[in-house]
């Protein structure tokens, strides 16, 4: 072998060894190939957020062709800010926490952002024309609240209080949370492709395949639902045969089938990229520090004054804190990355990464950034280290310049991954002591209320309240239950004073 080639191979081996040592890939029973596949799996499972987040913040109704152009400007600014926040947060998870978790703007919180800060400005306009400047001021005031909540997160994280809150959860809730998140993730997957649909009498119903077949449009209307179910079966079969990358194989296969059977082709419209960056520079980045944003956030009548502002900060804190806690416990349990006390390893670093991402997101111009439940899809594909997160971050950077790339993979291709993750995460509920009613009822409520209320934090809050009341009334209350009592009390305040 000639010396130049040998030198190149030695250099490559040193780099691989350094990568392995930094991320502890071998130590955690993984390899580079698996970590890359896991990162791609997580990204495709959560890529929808790139477009969905700006849609939610400005509301779909205001993206009509005749809508005020200010909504498109905010959409453009939030689009870039969302990706930057995801990149920053996910890189922190990769390089600081060294865990296979990705971050992005939280669903639910983005809709809450619109209802709390932008909708009041629209209502204030009455029947008259929408005042663009006021809408932007409301948007900036909302960023102030997000920034303050992020700073609170950071203080809690750096002092270790946030991790202590997580560890204060009763054992029954720790075991129920992953299962509840599993149901929640599966529910999202079923909804994304119309397998589960709205019903005015029963709230939800199974997709009407017969009605679709006999309609003029034909089976094409239920094609996404059928392909998603097929994708789930493919994952299950491949997993039974222990095929590596089963989730990613399913995503790729269903994507190809979707475009072939639907007769559609993916398109890349690059014309809006320049304008998107321009609007981000004008009203997105550092918009939190513009004009009277701070005064409007804490004293503005549209938002509700100082008390409402404080409750909004508390609400964003609670939701992000417990969404993150729930996701960390759920995915870490699935990956067998819990310490001897049943808590996620590197939990302090994960919490700090989450809080910094929220602060960075507010400065960039978007709503709360949180650890994503879709990270469980990558964990299911074998991701165990920060290299998985690094791959996700790189994919998000690509989306920053190639926005159509995020929408290339249809929902019917990623839904099976979410549903399959739900299957995996339910197994933890079997460890709940169902013979002890003080454990069984709170665990059950946490399990079912996450998907039924469409909120991880709501499930944790309702479970915590039930646990405290039952233990108090049955004489099982102990000194160690004081932290969960404080948590339950905060959720009671949230449920009473904040509509979400």
């Amino acid at each position: 072998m000639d010396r130049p080639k040998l030198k190149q191979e030695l250099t490559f081996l040193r780099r691989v060894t350094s990568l392995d040592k930094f991320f502890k890939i071998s130590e955690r029973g993984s390899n580079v190939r698996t970590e890359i596949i896991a990162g791609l799996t997580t990204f495709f499972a959560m890529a929808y957020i790139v477009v969905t987040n700006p849609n939610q913040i400005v509301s779909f109704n205001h993206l009509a062709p005749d809508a005020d152009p200010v909504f498109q400007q905010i959409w453009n600014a939030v689009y870039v800010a969302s990706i930057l926040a995801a990149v920053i947060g996910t890189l922190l998870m990769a390089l600081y926490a060294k865990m296979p978790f990705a971050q992005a703007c939280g669903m639910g919180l983005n809709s809450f952002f619109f209802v709390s800060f932008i909708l009041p400005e629209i209502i204030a306009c009455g029947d008259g024309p929408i005042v663009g400047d006021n809408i932007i001021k409301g948007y900036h005031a909302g960023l102030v609240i997000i920034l303050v909540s992020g700073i609170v997160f950071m203080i809690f994280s750096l002092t270790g209080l946030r991790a202590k809150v997580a560890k204060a959860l009763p054992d029954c809730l720790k075991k129920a949370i992953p299962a509840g998140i599993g149901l929640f993730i599966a529910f999202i997957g079923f909804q994304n492709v119309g397998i589960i649909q709205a019903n005015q009498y029963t709230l939800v119903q199974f997709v009407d395949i017969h009605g679709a077949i006999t309609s003029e449009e034909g089976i094409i209307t239920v094609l996404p639902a059928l392909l998603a179910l097929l994708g789930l079966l493919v994952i299950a079969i491949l997993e039974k045969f222990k095929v590596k990358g089963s989730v990613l194989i399913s995503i790729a296969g269903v994507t190809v089938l979707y475009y072939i059977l639907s007769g559609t082709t993916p398109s890349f419209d690059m014309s809006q990229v320049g304008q998107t960056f321009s609007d981000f520079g004008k009203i997105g980045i550092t918009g939190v520090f513009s004009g009277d944003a701070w005064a409007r956030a804490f004293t503005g009548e549209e938002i509700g004054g100082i008390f409402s502002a404080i409750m909004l900060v508390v609400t964003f804190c609670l939701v992000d804190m417990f969404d993150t806690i729930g996701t960390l416990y759920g995915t870490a349990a699935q990956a067998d990355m819990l310490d001897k006390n049943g808590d996620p390893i590197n939990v302090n670093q994960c919490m700090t990464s989450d809080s910094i991402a929220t602060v960075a997101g507010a400065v960039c111009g978007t709503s709360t950034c949180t650890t994503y439940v879709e990270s469980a899809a990558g964990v299911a594909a074998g991701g165990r280290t920060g290299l998985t997160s690094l791959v996700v971050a790189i994919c998000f950077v690509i989306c920053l310049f190639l926005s159509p790339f995020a929408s290339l993979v249809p929902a019917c291709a990623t839904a099976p991954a979410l549903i399959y993750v739900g299957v995996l995460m339910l197994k933890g509920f079997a460890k709940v002591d169902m013979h002890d009613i003080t454990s069984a009822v709170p665990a059950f409520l946490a399990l079912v209320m996450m998907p039924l209320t469409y909120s991880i934090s709501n499930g944790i809050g309702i479970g915590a309240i039930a646990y405290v009341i039952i233990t108090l009334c049955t004489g099982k209350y102990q000194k160690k239950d004081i932290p969960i009592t404080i948590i339950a009390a905060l959720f009671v305040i949230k449920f009473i004073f904040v509509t979400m």
Side-chain angles (χ1 to χ4, degrees):
M1 182 179 293
D2 56 87
R3 286 190 175 185
K5 189 174 182 179
L6 178 62
K7 187 176 181 181
Q8 287 179 355
E9 291 187 358
L10 288 173
T11 301
F12 175 74
L13 287 173
R14 289 193 196 99
R15 288 175 179 173
V16 171
T17 302
S18 299
L19 195 68
D20 183 275
K21 188 176 181 180
F22 180 81
F23 287 113
K24 300 181 179 179
I25 298 173
S26 299
E27 182 180 324
R28 294 184 182 176
S30 185
N31 56 65
V32 174
R33 178 178 176 275
T34 298
E35 294 295 307
I36 292 174
I37 290 175
L40 292 173
T41 302
T42 294
F43 171 74
F44 283 119
M46 63 185 292
Y48 67 88
I49 195 60
V50 173
V51 174
T52 303
N53 188 58
N55 281 353
Q56 295 295 97
I57 285 183
V58 301
S59 178
F60 295 103
N61 296 332
H62 301 293
L63 290 175
D66 58 344
D68 191 289
V70 71
F71 292 110
Q72 186 62 55
Q73 292 172 4
I74 295 176
W75 192 99
N76 290 340
V78 174
Y79 173 84
V80 177
S82 300
I83 295 176
L84 290 178
V87 170
I88 293 170
T90 305
L91 279 177
L92 285 168
M93 281 291 186
L95 306 177
Y96 175 58
K98 299 179 183 178
M99 295 290 276
F101 306 137
Q103 296 195 66
C105 299
M107 289 295 292
L109 288 171
N110 44 24
S111 296
F112 189 45
F113 185 98
F114 168 77
V115 171
S116 301
F117 307 113
I118 294 181
L119 183 59
E121 299 290 351
I122 297 173
I123 294 173
C125 295
D127 296 328
I130 292 176
V131 181
D133 287 345
N134 287 350
I135 302 299
I136 292 176
K137 288 177 181 178
Y139 163 56
H140 288 162
L143 297 180
V144 170
I145 299 297
I146 300 300
L147 178 63
V148 173
S149 68
I151 293 172
V152 173
F153 299 161
M154 194 178 297
I155 293 172
F156 267 63
S157 299
L158 294 175
T159 58
L161 289 175
R162 202 171 175 188
K164 289 180 180 178
V165 169
K167 295 176 181 179
L169 292 174
D171 189 59
C172 63
L173 291 184
K174 286 183 180 179
K175 292 172 180 175
I177 288 170
I181 293 175
L183 282 182
F184 183 47
I185 292 173
F187 190 58
I188 292 173
F190 286 129
Q191 279 189 312
N192 284 350
V193 291
I195 295 174
I196 290 178
Q197 300 177 349
N199 182 290
Q200 60 177 327
Y201 303 110
T202 62
L203 297 184
V204 293
Q205 67 178 25
F206 186 63
V207 56
D208 185 4
I209 298 176
H210 173 73
I213 293 175
T214 56
S215 67
E216 291 184 6
E217 292 84 1
I219 199 171
I220 193 70
T221 58
V222 293
L223 180 63
L226 296 177
L227 286 176
L229 291 172
L230 174 64
L232 177 62
L233 296 178
V234 168
I235 293 174
I237 293 169
L238 292 177
E239 280 295 314
K240 180 62 178 177
F241 288 107
K242 302 185 184 302
V243 177
K244 289 285 187 181
S246 60
V247 175
L248 194 58
I249 292 172
S250 172
I251 290 175
V254 173
T255 297
V256 173
L257 278 176
Y258 172 78
Y259 286 117
I260 292 175
L261 297 178
S262 66
T264 59
T265 54
S267 60
F268 290 86
D269 181 10
M270 302 297 294
S271 61
Q272 289 297 316
V273 174
Q275 186 60 46
T276 298
F277 278 99
S278 176
D279 290 333
F280 168 71
K282 289 178 182 177
I283 63 174
I285 185 72
T286 69
V288 67
F289 303 115
S290 63
D292 61 348
W294 285 76
R296 200 179 189 92
F298 287 98
T299 61
E301 293 182 2
E302 296 85 354
I303 294 176
I306 184 69
F307 179 75
S308 293
I310 292 173
M311 286 309 302
L312 285 169
V313 170
V314 171
T315 298
F316 278 106
C317 282
L318 283 175
V319 174
D320 187 26
M321 180 181 295
F322 286 101
D323 271 3
T324 299
I325 288 173
T327 300
L328 290 179
Y329 273 89
T331 50
Q334 181 188 337
D336 196 23
M337 297 172 69
L338 300 174
D339 60 24
K340 61 182 179 180
N341 298 316
D343 299 309
I345 61 174
N346 297 346
V347 64
N348 282 320
Q349 292 91 328
C350 291
M351 297 289 191
T352 301
S353 299
D354 184 272
S355 60
I356 294 174
T358 293
V359 172
V363 173
C364 289
T366 189
S367 57
T368 304
C369 192
T370 186
T371 306
Y372 247 56
V373 292
E374 283 84 355
S375 300
V379 170
R384 295 293 182 271
T385 76
L387 181 56
T388 294
S389 303
L390 182 61
V391 172
V392 177
I394 292 171
C395 289
F396 272 121
V397 170
I398 294 173
C399 283
L400 192 62
F401 303 97
L402 299 173
S403 55
F405 181 78
S407 58
L408 179 63
V409 178
C412 61
T414 57
L418 302 184
I419 299 168
Y420 176 66
V421 167
V423 174
L424 296 179
M425 297 181 74
L426 270 173
K427 62 184 179 183
F429 196 79
K431 300 177 182 179
V432 175
D433 185 2
M434 298 302 288
H435 297 290
D436 181 359
I437 206 68
T438 60
S439 295
V441 172
F444 172 76
L445 287 174
L447 172 76
V448 300
M449 295 308 285
M450 287 185 193
L452 294 183
T453 64
Y454 216 76
S455 168
I456 294 173
S457 62
N458 280 352
I460 295 174
I462 294 169
I465 293 169
Y467 176 84
V468 172
I469 293 175
I470 293 173
T471 53
L472 278 172
C473 295
T474 58
K476 294 290 184 93
Y477 191 86
Q478 301 178 38
K479 185 178 180 180
K480 66 181 179 63
D481 294 325
I482 293 177
I484 193 65
T485 304
I486 296 173
I487 292 170
L490 289 173
F491 270 104
V492 169
I493 294 172
K494 170 187 175 289
F495 292 145
I496 292 174
F497 292 104
V498 180
T499 300
M500 184 176 179

